[in-house]
Amino acid sequence: MTTFVSHTGRLTAHALRRLSRQPAYLLFNLIQPMVWLLLFGELFRRVAELPGFGTGDYLSYLTPGVIVMTAMMSAGWAGTSFIEDMDRGVMDRNLTSPVSRGALIAGSLAHQSVVTVIQSLIVFGVGLLAGARYDGGVTGVLVVLACAVLLSIIFGALSDAIALLVRQQEALIGISQFLALPLAFLSSVMMAPSLLPPWVGAVAEYNPVDWAAVAGREALAAAPDWSRVLGHGGLLLALAAVMSWLATRAFRAYQRSN
C-alpha cells in the first residue's frame, strides 16, 4: 500500500507539472460551461417562476448543474494523456516498470480530481458574481465539490479504459462527446425534476450525472435533505469504485493486443 501511494503521488505530481505548463487547458474547458451559466442563466431565468419549479432563482439552481456538467466533460478527455503516452512509448515503459496498473489509473484520476476542484471553484465564483446564492454555505459547497470529484472519477476512469481499448484520440473524443450531452440533458441539470417529461425523469433515476446534480443542489439548499444527499452520494461512490476497477482491468486488453 505504501508503494502504491508513493507511485500514485509521483504520477499525480508529474501530471500536475504538465498541467502547470499548459494552464490554458483549464480555461479552455471552461468556455462552454460559462456560456451555459451566464447565457442560459439569463435566457431561462423566468423558468423558475413556473409552478412546481421549487425555487425562485434559476441561476442558483443552474450553478451546481453546470459544475457537474463541467466535471463530466472535462473528465471525458482524461484518456488523451494515456494515448499520448502510448504514442511516445511511455506507456509500454511504465508497464514494464515496478509501477502498478492501479497506480497508473489512480494517478490519472487524482490529477483529474484536482482539475475538477479548480474548475468547480471558478464556476462557483462566477456564479456568485452573477447573482447566484448558496444557502447551504461552506458545507453545501464542499458537498458539491465532492460530488463533482466522484463524477470526474467515474468518467475519467471510463475515458482511461476507452483509451486503452481504442488507442486513438479521435475515437476517444468521439465516444466522449457522444455520451456527454445526452447524459446532461437526460437529467435535472437544467430543469426541475417535476417539469421533466416522465420518460426523462425515469432515465434520470439511473443517470450518475443526475445523482451528482441532485445531491449537490440539495446540499446547497437552506434546509437540505441529508438522507437524499447521502443516498445519491453513496451511489456515486460505489460507481466510482467499480469504474476505477474496470479501468485497471483494461490494461489486460491493452497488453494482449500488443
Side-chain angles (χ1 to χ4, degrees):
M1 180 58 69
T2 302
T3 302
F4 172 82
V5 172
S6 175
H7 289 171
T8 299
R10 292 180 182 180
L11 290 166
T12 304
H14 174 67
L16 290 175
R17 282 195 297 270
R18 289 168 59 181
L19 178 64
S20 68
R21 293 193 290 268
Q22 297 177 320
Y25 170 81
L26 288 173
L27 299 178
F28 175 78
N29 281 333
L30 284 172
I31 293 175
Q32 194 173 42
M34 290 305 166
V35 170
W36 289 327
L37 183 66
L38 301 177
L39 183 59
F40 285 17
E42 183 61 24
L43 285 175
F44 301 122
R45 61 187 179 87
R46 298 291 298 273
V47 170
E49 300 174 9
L50 292 174
F53 192 87
T55 176
D57 183 2
Y58 183 69
L59 187 62
S60 298
Y61 178 92
L62 182 63
T63 300
V66 170
I67 289 173
V68 164
M69 291 172 66
T70 304
M72 172 187 61
M73 293 186 173
S74 178
W77 293 78
T80 58
S81 62
F82 273 13
I83 293 177
E84 290 173 1
D85 287 346
M86 294 175 203
D87 292 340
R88 297 198 305 264
V90 175
M91 180 63 74
D92 291 335
R93 291 199 296 271
N94 284 337
L95 293 176
T96 57
S97 72
V99 178
S100 71
R101 281 58 171 163
L104 289 171
I105 294 296
S108 171
L109 298 181
H111 161 256
Q112 188 59 48
S113 297
V114 173
V115 170
T116 295
V117 169
I118 295 172
Q119 292 179 331
S120 299
L121 289 173
I122 293 173
V123 175
F124 262 128
V126 172
L128 185 65
L129 292 175
R133 293 295 175 262
Y134 314 126
D135 295 332
V138 175
T139 301
V141 170
L142 291 176
V143 170
V144 175
L145 291 178
C147 290
V149 166
L150 288 173
L151 196 68
S152 75
I153 290 173
I154 291 168
F155 285 95
L158 177 62
S159 180
D160 287 343
I162 293 172
L164 290 168
L165 295 174
V166 302
R167 306 188 185 192
Q168 293 181 342
Q169 188 161 321
E170 295 81 3
L172 171 63
I173 293 172
I175 294 171
S176 298
Q177 294 300 311
F178 175 78
L179 292 174
L181 285 179
L183 287 174
F185 287 108
L186 291 173
S187 73
S188 60
V189 163
M190 294 186 180
M191 186 59 61
S194 60
L195 300 180
L196 292 174
W199 70 270
V200 174
V203 173
E205 291 291 328
Y206 304 95
N207 184 349
V209 177
D210 190 69
W211 300 344
V214 170
R217 193 178 296 118
E218 188 66 39
L220 285 176
D225 181 352
W226 289 108
S227 63
R228 199 176 187 196
V229 174
L230 292 175
H232 285 76
L235 290 173
L236 288 169
L237 182 61
L239 185 56
V242 171
M243 291 305 301
S244 300
W245 177 77
L246 289 175
T248 304
R249 298 277 294 183
F251 277 111
R252 295 188 176 187
Y254 172 79
Q255 289 179 292
R256 281 198 301 268
S257 60
N258 275 348

